[in-house]
Amino acid sequence: ALDRPGLRSITAAAEAGAFDVLLVKSLSRLGRNMEQTLELIRRLDGLGISVCSPLEGEIMPDAAPWNNFRMGME
């Protein structure tokens, strides 16, 4: 689930405008549920924060083929 202490801290910092890019090793580090992870990415995007991963590149929530995308976790 996305209700983890680290993600709560990230969300609070994002809402405070503390950063503008979130770098994660892999999308799987954000969450294992694709719908919840996409919801978080869209929330961050709405705050003007880019989510980037060296494995997946910049995550574009509305441009990515999310219906066919698998994060290697299912």
Side-chain angles (χ1 to χ4, degrees), residues 3-50:
D3 188 29
R4 300 189 318 263
L7 287 177
R8 285 194 301 268
S9 295
I10 287 170
T11 302
E15 290 170 350
F19 61 95
D20 54 6
V21 175
L22 177 63
L23 180 62
V24 294
K25 180 177 180 177
S26 168
L27 282 180
S28 67
R29 302 298 85 211
L30 285 179
R32 298 202 182 264
N33 178 292
M34 186 170 41
E35 287 181 27
Q36 291 177 347
T37 302
L38 179 56
E39 179 182 325
L40 174 63
I41 292 168
R42 284 189 172 140
R43 184 175 179 189
L44 293 171
D45 185 61
L47 294 169
I49 297 168
S50 300

